[in-house]
Amino acid sequence: MRQDIIHVYLMPGMAASPKIFEHIKLPEAQFKLHYLEWIIPVDDETIEAYALRMTKFIKHENIVLLGVSFGGVLVQEISKLIKVQKLIIVSSVKSINELPRHMLLAKVTKAYRLVPTQLASNIDVLAKYAYGTKVSKRLELYKKYLSVNDSKYLSWAIKNMVCWNQEAYDPKIIHIHGDNDAVFSIKNISNYVEVNGGTHIMIINKYKWFNAHLPKIILDN
């Protein structure tokens, strides 16, 4: 029997709160939105173990799972543990082959260990290292949307983003990517739905595109 309401679980990007989805609106007669939040990792926790802990916050079956940026990496790991009817990633990557060169270099040299996450309360530092964009133009957005400033979480998140080792990905995954993403350049991305003028934070400033297209993307077989 067809489920009347489709439950859509949304995972924000690194250190971000669910506020990044505040303008995402889908028809309430068909969809119910649920917001996942980052939890603090335990010592030496693998991303696979973290994903398993996150499944306890998913209360429905056969869901749609959408993740942004590093949240897109996490939802791919979650989808290996539970059944999903649709897996969507936004401004993210599907494999190590789509990571930018500087992240691959940071993995080899372990340079990610040098990021001063103990200064996470300084939003300028967090914005620079977690997102790699110009702080001056986006500082207010970061202050509003970045809510996790725990240094243990940030060290874990940066390490697991840089060191993620997935090579093969689910061919059914839907990858939505902006053509002006400064964090994960579209030149490295394959098999994606392109958003013209979309940046790494397009889930916030291109929400009208998502509200117009997500229902069809979810419902299409």
Side-chain angles (χ1 to χ4, degrees):
M1 184 175 71
R2 184 182 182 277
Q3 189 177 19
D4 292 330
I5 296 293
I6 297 174
H7 295 278
V8 181
Y9 281 76
L10 306 173
M11 186 75 217
M14 184 184 292
S17 79
K19 285 182 181 179
I20 69 169
F21 302 114
E22 64 183 348
H23 297 303
I24 300 300
K25 309 292 182 186
L26 302 182
E28 295 182 359
Q30 292 176 294
F31 306 98
K32 173 68 175 176
L33 300 182
H34 305 270
Y35 305 98
L36 296 170
E37 298 188 53
W38 293 104
I39 56 178
I40 305 304
V42 301
D43 291 343
D44 299 317
E45 188 168 25
T46 65
I47 194 169
E48 293 85 1
Y50 188 95
L52 180 60
R53 285 206 294 142
M54 287 296 296
T55 61
K56 70 181 181 181
F57 301 107
I58 297 174
K59 307 299 183 182
H60 304 89
E61 296 182 350
N62 202 30
I63 64 167
V64 171
L65 197 51
L66 182 151
V68 175
S69 192
F70 180 52
V73 170
L74 180 62
V75 297
Q76 290 175 74
E77 295 298 331
I78 293 174
S79 73
K80 298 172 185 177
L81 302 170
I82 63 172
K83 182 181 179 182
V84 299
Q85 65 169 288
K86 197 77 60 120
L87 178 61
I88 304 170
I89 64 171
V90 176
S91 308
S92 189
V93 294
K94 301 183 291 296
S95 75
I96 60 173
N97 300 313
E98 295 183 339
L99 287 173
R101 184 177 300 176
H102 72 271
M103 287 191 184
L104 296 173
L105 182 61
K107 176 182 179 180
V108 173
T109 62
K110 295 183 168 51
Y112 57 83
R113 294 179 177 178
L114 303 178
V115 177
T117 55
Q118 70 274 15
L119 301 179
S121 59
N122 184 330
I123 195 67
D124 300 76
V125 172
L126 179 57
K128 178 180 178 182
Y129 285 101
Y131 287 83
T133 56
K134 294 181 180 179
V135 177
S136 58
K137 294 181 179 180
R138 304 177 187 258
L139 188 55
E140 291 305 316
L141 284 176
Y142 289 127
K143 287 179 178 179
K144 179 177 181 179
Y145 295 112
L146 297 190
S147 64
V148 186
N149 60 5
D150 181 271
S151 62
K152 182 177 181 179
Y153 162 81
L154 289 167
S155 294
W156 174 88
I158 292 169
K159 175 183 177 181
N160 278 279
M161 181 70 256
V162 171
C163 297
W164 192 49
N165 60 7
Q166 177 165 280
E167 294 184 359
Y169 60 87
D170 183 348
K172 294 181 181 178
I173 192 170
I174 297 166
H175 188 167
I176 304 173
H177 212 85
D179 62 359
N180 196 28
D181 193 310
V183 177
F184 300 122
S185 174
I186 202 167
K187 69 181 182 181
N188 298 324
I189 306 299
S190 61
N191 301 322
Y192 58 90
V193 177
E194 183 173 328
V195 178
N196 292 330
T199 66
H200 196 63
I201 59 168
M202 65 181 181
I203 195 70
I204 298 171
N205 57 24
K206 290 280 189 181
Y207 66 88
K208 291 181 180 179
W209 185 97
F210 288 91
N211 290 345
H213 292 86
L214 276 179
K216 185 175 188 300
I217 287 172
I218 292 172
L219 294 172
D220 277 356
N221 294 322

